[in-house]
Structures are given as structure tokens and as C-alpha cells.
Amino acid sequence: MNDGIAPAAETLPVRILGPFRELGELKRIRSALQEGSIAERLFAAAWGALVAGQELGAVMRATTAAALAATRLGDIDRGVLSAIGVEGDEAQAIIDRAVGEAAEELPPEALDGLRGAPLLTAGAAPPFVTKLARQPRAGVTCPGKPRLLLEPPENHAEHCLITAVYGVVLSPFYGAGSEAVFLASLAHHLHNALIPDSGFAGEVLLGKHLEPAFARATELALAELPAALADRVRKARAILPDAETPEGRAFHAADTLDRVLQIEQHLRAGKATMHYVLHDMELVHAGPVRVFQDRLLTAMGLSA
């Protein structure tokens, strides 16, 4: 039976996995002057801007552009650029170049409005944001099997943010409304602000109590939002239960890819060889002392 889902899924070009892997690394990039990862902070900034009343499309574009730029600049954002005397058009040009370079393998239609994207409006994030940032993901669980934990774990704020950015990029492939996908992705784990993540195994054990518990916890989180925004979030979350709509497909594609690429990141790092690090990644790279460094590593048996 053709349910219309497989053909759409098959249109995704494999080349997007490169940029998606780099976006996923934002869960693990931190810097001295900031608390938490870039992904965690972008999640809080997006919710703060929404609570402050910034238009959803502007928040979506600003967040997506900031995430793409961070894959090249790390935590060198507009605030850092301003602190070192780079402002205005010059700062915008640096951000736009980073976005363009990061997006080379992405579909042009996914990049509409990202160059010159607005800044996120500063606002106080609702309390559930901090709780989701403190709530670790469960790892890999399956009923009847021991849990597979990979350290350090991601948290729910990081997962929701990366899923939201993936969803914006994937929406054109499914003919989906990117704003609904973005907002639903930001909000798809609201229940975990209250309920610790026990994974698939724990959810099976909750049985008939699972859905009522998730619904109750979600409503407690939504009560922290202004009423109009809470209603909009409820409407966006209507795409979550299935993949029967373009928006549902874009969301579930984004969510699935982030879950799998998160685990792949740990496995990929575990398979890295010293030869790859030294030769392909040029850990000891070209410079005035390169000859000395190569001789040292050879003498110490570390030249791979």
C-alpha cells in the first residue's frame, strides 16, 4: 500500500546529512562567558522572543540563521563581535557569510529570509525552558533490554531546538508550513519539564497512564505562556500524533534524524583513528614549527 509517505521521504538528498551533523554539534559547543550549549541557549532565546511578542516567522528565521552561523563561528555571535568592535554592516556581513557557507548543501528554498535575518527580541523564557535544559534524554531504551547510555547526554532543550531547525530546512521537501513545524518542534517535549525521560521502555510500562500524564504535564507547561501563545502552540502541536500531513511528515523527519544522528555522533567519535585525526583533520597543521612537530611525533611513535 502506498500511503504517500515513502515517496516524500525518498526525495530527501543525502547531502543534507553533512550540515545536519554540524548543526547537531551545537548541543556540544560551549564557551567561557556563557552557560550551557549553543543549542540550549538558542532554545531559551527563541521562547523568550515568542513570550516577548516577536512574530513567529521572525523568531524562526532568526533562530535558524543563528544556528547555521554557529556551525562556522561557534560562539562568536553578534554580542562577541560587538565587544571586539565589529558592528553594523560589518558584523552582518560576517554572519551572512557564515550562514551562506554552512548552507551550501541545503536547498535554496530552505534559506529564504535567513541572510539578514532579524535579531531575536530579548525576553524572559518561561520556567519550563530551564527544566527542559536540566532534563537529560533517556538514551537508547527498549522493553526487556538494558539501557544504552552515551555520555554526555543531550538535554531536552537541545533536542527540541535542533529538531526545530531541521524542521525548517526539511519543510520545503514536504510542502509543509515551516512556522508550524518550527513551533511544534520547540514544544514537542513540554511534558518532560515535569516528567523525567524514561525512554521507550518506561513509556511502555506506564501503559494506560502514559497519554493522560503527558497531556496533564503539557498543560502545566502551557499555563506558563501568555494565553494567545499557548493557544498557538496547542494548534501547532496538532501535527505531532501522525505523519498524515505535510507538517507532520516534516516534523517526524526532523525528529527522527536528530535522534539517530545524536547516537551516530557518539559512535562516529568512537571509530575515529589517530591517522584520520592527524592526516585528514590536520590536528598538527601547517605552520612555522610543523617540521619540528612531525619529527617529535615520529620519534614518540605517534605519527600514525
Side-chain angles (χ1 to χ4, degrees):
M1 183 177 78
N2 182 357
D3 58 10
I5 296 175
E10 290 165 2
T11 66
L12 295 181
V14 173
R15 70 177 186 275
I16 68 171
L17 289 180
F20 275 22
R21 288 183 177 107
E22 293 187 67
L23 286 164
E25 297 292 4
L26 301 184
K27 301 173 186 176
R28 293 167 278 276
I29 299 176
R30 293 168 169 79
S31 61
L33 299 180
Q34 304 276 13
E35 291 290 333
S37 69
I38 292 175
E40 180 181 318
R41 284 182 273 115
L42 281 176
F43 180 74
W47 277 112
L50 289 169
V51 169
Q54 189 170 14
E55 189 266 326
L56 174 59
V59 174
M60 178 190 74
R61 293 191 300 276
T63 303
T64 305
L68 285 168
T71 67
R72 292 297 180 272
L73 292 169
D75 241 342
I76 300 176
D77 59 11
R78 293 175 188 272
V80 173
L81 289 172
S82 177
I84 61 175
V86 182
E87 300 188 85
D89 291 344
E90 289 184 328
Q92 186 64 57
I94 291 171
I95 299 294
D96 286 347
R97 284 200 302 273
V99 171
E101 186 176 313
E104 285 178 355
E105 298 300 321
L106 298 178
E109 57 269 33
L111 307 178
D112 288 346
L114 297 188
R115 289 183 178 85
L119 297 176
L120 286 167
T121 298
F128 66 71
V129 166
T130 299
K131 295 172 187 174
L132 289 172
R134 292 206 307 258
Q135 193 76 271
R137 301 269 289 157
V140 183
T141 73
C142 184
K145 295 183 174 67
R147 185 187 303 252
L148 175 61
L149 285 175
L150 298 168
E151 295 289 338
E154 63 180 327
N155 62 52
H156 281 79
E158 293 166 333
H159 167 63
C160 289
L161 185 282
I162 297 302
T163 299
V165 174
Y166 285 2
V168 173
V169 174
L170 294 175
S171 287
F173 290 105
Y174 295 95
S178 56
E179 291 184 10
V181 175
F182 177 79
L183 187 56
S185 298
L186 286 182
H188 78 287
H189 275 284
L190 290 182
H191 57 277
N192 287 119
L194 173 64
I195 303 174
D197 188 357
S198 60
F200 179 34
E203 291 176 0
V204 169
L205 288 172
L206 284 173
K208 67 179 183 180
H209 303 289
L210 177 69
E211 292 303 326
F214 278 18
R216 190 173 304 115
T218 297
E219 282 302 316
L220 287 172
L222 288 171
E224 299 173 2
L225 297 174
L229 178 58
D231 286 343
R232 189 162 191 182
V233 172
R234 288 187 188 93
K235 183 177 180 180
R237 281 175 51 89
I239 73 172
L240 299 179
D242 57 57
E244 298 299 319
T245 64
E247 289 73 25
R249 293 170 194 175
F251 163 75
H252 284 289
D255 179 53
T256 300
L257 288 173
D258 183 59
R259 283 189 286 151
V260 173
L261 291 176
Q262 167 68 16
I263 303 304
E264 185 209 52
Q265 182 270 335
H266 288 278
L267 302 179
R268 192 170 71 249
K271 293 177 182 177
T273 64
M274 187 58 73
H275 184 278
Y276 173 77
V277 170
L278 285 175
H279 296 279
D280 293 73
M281 295 300 291
E282 295 190 84
L283 178 64
V284 177
H285 46 265
V289 296
R290 176 64 182 271
V291 172
F292 169 82
Q293 292 170 320
D294 286 344
R295 287 176 178 169
L296 170 67
L297 294 176
T298 299
M300 299 300 291
L302 295 172
S303 59

